[in-house]
Amino acid sequence: MSTVIETRGLGKKYGRRWALRDCTLAIPAGQVVGLVGPNGAGKSTLLHLAVGLRTPTLGVITVFGGRPADSPAQLGRAGFVAQDTPVYARLSVADHLRMGAWLNPDWDGELAARRIERLGLDPHQRAGSLSGGQRAQLALTLAIAKRPGLLILDEPVASLDPLARREFLQDLMEIVAEHEVSVVLSSHLIADLERVCDYLVVLIASQVQLAGEVSELLAEHRRLSGPRRDPGRLPASQEIVEETHTDKQSLLLIRTSEPILDPAWAVTPVSVEDLVLAYMRRAGSAGGARRPGLEVVS
Amino acid sequence: MIEFALDEGSGVATYLQLAQQVRQALRLGMLEPGERLPTAQQVVARLAINPNTVLKAYRELEREGLVRARPGQGTFVLRALPGTDPAVQARFLASMTGWLRSARAAGLGPDDVEAIYHTAFRDCFAEGVA
């Protein structure tokens, strides 16, 4: 599998605090990848390192095999939409596009102009007076018009209302349909990620707890409920992600690629949201101790 | 042309939901041979889902021999799915009704029956997504 982002033992320290520590992961190319995890997991730091806004304290990060922001060509390969989609409040929409054209060697002015027109933005309007949704669309326009191979978005829809959020994601997916671009998107809104992502990475305390294609993750996880039972006696092919027991009943979330044959279990599918929450709780109940990643994407 | 709808949070992968809806439309005659499926762009514009997901659903249907992608033109229906013969359906409905009556006479309630049904269904179809 070819990758867009790879890290090995990556660490970033702000003052005396490690924001990211010993992070090793590989993010596949040609997909829309969702990055989820609790606050403080290091998601934003990882994305900032990937676009070269920060430099690592330790370890290595590569984007398309090269150091981020190493050269103008390398800079052009990643487009970035930062958290809350910041724009220059006093500059007009047209000013933003002109700036994009000055700063980016491969700027696609036609694409930018077409998008602004289709989105119904007034080129003379100051960015400061745009709605949250329009601001996000402008930031996305700037990022895509540099024609990057990788688009990185850090919580792009967190501050948008549900309708603006849906419109933004729809727009983003249309971009994916039109251009050959890999996308890495961080969000707390897991239901949104389930819609738009084909690959999911769950990052907790700098460690990858779960990574894989969304459709495979859904196919492999099942909730079992039935009479109380000793979890040690489950088939070896069933990995327990989460378990709750009462004196009579056992409720399990398991990962397996085999069919579940035991007729005593009632078996139901698990949504992506429940899945992510279960892995987060599992990492949390390890006492905040740093655990090795369950799986390293390869 | 068919429209897709998503059941979010169902735990069923989106591509499987799309493929299932095409099969259902074929079975009900809402889609006929020669008809074109919506393009990935059209589905994306309506549902705000990943275009790769749409293509994955179409590849699945292509593997089953139900549709074929023609480069640059779209994905077209190759054949309809025959609906089940009404006489066969009636036969199984009658035997199921008989079974349910005897279950009720034996003191089983709706929940018992449902639990038995799901277990038997699972044994029979071994986890296959119906």
Side-chain angles (χ1 to χ4, degrees):
Chain A
M1 178 164 58
S2 68
T3 61
V4 277
I5 301 177
E6 269 190 77
T7 73
R8 271 197 318 280
L10 186 66
K12 177 68 189 173
K13 209 171 169 181
Y14 296 116
R16 268 187 285 171
R17 192 179 65 85
W18 287 96
L20 190 74
R21 198 173 197 174
D22 193 22
C23 174
T24 296
L25 55 77
I27 289 180
Q31 311 224 42
V32 180
V33 178
L35 184 61
V36 263
N39 289 328
K43 302 187 300 287
S44 286
T45 303
L46 174 65
L47 297 182
H48 284 165
L49 290 166
V51 287
L53 281 172
R54 308 273 180 192
T55 50
T57 312
L58 273 179
V60 185
I61 180 164
T62 57
V63 173
F64 293 113
R67 299 281 165 110
D70 215 13
S71 62
Q74 187 67 1
L75 260 177
R77 301 182 78 175
F80 184 52
V81 177
Q83 208 157 0
D84 298 328
T85 60
V87 290
Y88 296 93
R90 303 177 58 120
L91 297 186
S92 70
V93 170
D95 290 337
H96 277 84
L97 299 192
R98 267 196 292 280
M99 189 170 61
W102 288 331
L103 294 175
N104 296 286
D106 293 324
W107 183 256
D108 188 339
E110 199 186 311
L111 169 70
R114 208 168 56 229
R115 273 184 54 84
I116 295 302
E117 194 190 332
R118 190 164 60 83
L119 295 166
L121 297 184
D122 173 5
H124 304 296
Q125 193 174 347
R126 283 188 179 191
S129 63
L130 296 173
S131 72
Q134 291 171 324
R135 217 169 53 227
Q137 304 273 25
L138 175 59
L140 180 58
T141 300
L142 295 176
I144 191 66
K146 62 188 275 195
R147 300 307 301 267
L150 169 64
L151 201 51
I152 295 178
L153 305 100
D154 189 7
E155 292 279 356
V157 294
S159 57
L160 300 185
D161 67 59
L163 182 61
R165 208 162 80 208
R166 178 57 67 84
E167 282 171 355
F168 181 87
L169 292 175
Q170 192 169 311
D171 189 37
L172 177 63
M173 288 304 103
E174 289 181 42
I175 285 173
V176 171
E178 267 169 60
H179 308 286
E180 271 188 20
V181 62
S182 300
V183 177
V184 177
L185 170 72
S186 78
S187 179
H188 285 310
L189 299 158
I190 303 170
D192 284 346
L193 291 182
E194 179 167 6
R195 248 173 199 271
V196 304
C197 295
D198 28 27
Y199 197 95
L200 198 68
V201 177
V202 179
L203 193 72
I204 299 173
S206 303
Q207 306 298 307
V208 175
Q209 297 291 338
L210 178 70
E213 292 214 9
V214 174
S215 57
E216 282 171 20
L217 294 178
L218 287 175
E220 285 172 6
H221 288 83
R222 288 284 177 272
R223 201 181 289 289
L224 309 184
S225 80
R228 163 131 204 173
R229 136 127 47 148
D230 175 8
R233 299 178 61 185
L234 286 179
S237 61
Q238 299 179 1
E239 181 206 350
I240 298 177
V241 180
E242 190 170 52
E243 53 185 304
T244 345
H245 304 277
T246 66
D247 50 346
K248 295 265 176 59
Q249 193 197 25
S250 288
L251 190 61
L252 308 178
L253 199 161
I254 60 152
R255 182 175 198 173
T256 182
S257 47
E258 311 271 312
I260 291 146
L261 300 169
D262 187 336
W265 292 121
V267 184
T268 44
V270 186
S271 70
V272 172
E273 180 141 27
D274 287 346
L275 200 64
V276 169
L277 290 174
Y279 278 91
M280 280 191 188
R281 280 193 292 264
R282 170 153 105 169
S285 67
R290 291 162 44 73
R291 301 158 50 99
L294 289 175
E295 182 183 345
V296 174
V297 199
S298 55
Chain B
M1 185 91 78
I2 65 163
E3 294 264 8
F4 294 110
L6 283 190
D7 183 2
E8 279 186 270
S10 63
V12 178
T14 308
Y15 86 97
L16 291 174
Q17 292 190 38
L18 300 184
Q20 170 63 21
Q21 285 170 37
V22 170
R23 279 188 222 108
Q24 184 68 5
L26 289 172
R27 217 170 275 128
L28 297 175
M30 284 151 55
L31 266 179
E32 288 174 355
E35 230 178 303
R36 205 188 65 171
L37 297 180
T39 62
Q41 274 92 341
Q42 285 169 325
V43 180
V44 168
R46 254 194 75 73
L47 295 181
I49 58 168
N50 188 321
N52 298 337
T53 305
V54 184
L55 298 176
K56 187 166 179 173
Y58 288 3
R59 275 201 304 276
E60 176 95 0
L61 293 163
E62 196 164 11
R63 235 191 339 263
E64 292 165 17
L66 296 175
V67 304
R68 174 172 292 154
R70 288 190 218 137
Q73 295 181 60
T75 301
F76 294 83
V77 175
L78 281 184
R79 61 181 178 88
L81 270 176
T84 313
D85 181 348
V88 174
Q89 278 195 22
R91 187 154 56 83
F92 280 94
L93 180 62
S95 71
M96 188 73 173
T97 309
W99 185 90
L100 283 171
R101 286 214 179 94
S102 63
R104 200 167 77 173
L108 298 184
D111 292 349
D112 300 318
V113 167
E114 212 169 275
I116 292 171
Y117 166 77
H118 281 301
T119 306
F121 183 90
R122 194 144 44 81
D123 288 351
C124 204
F125 292 93
E127 284 262 291
V129 179

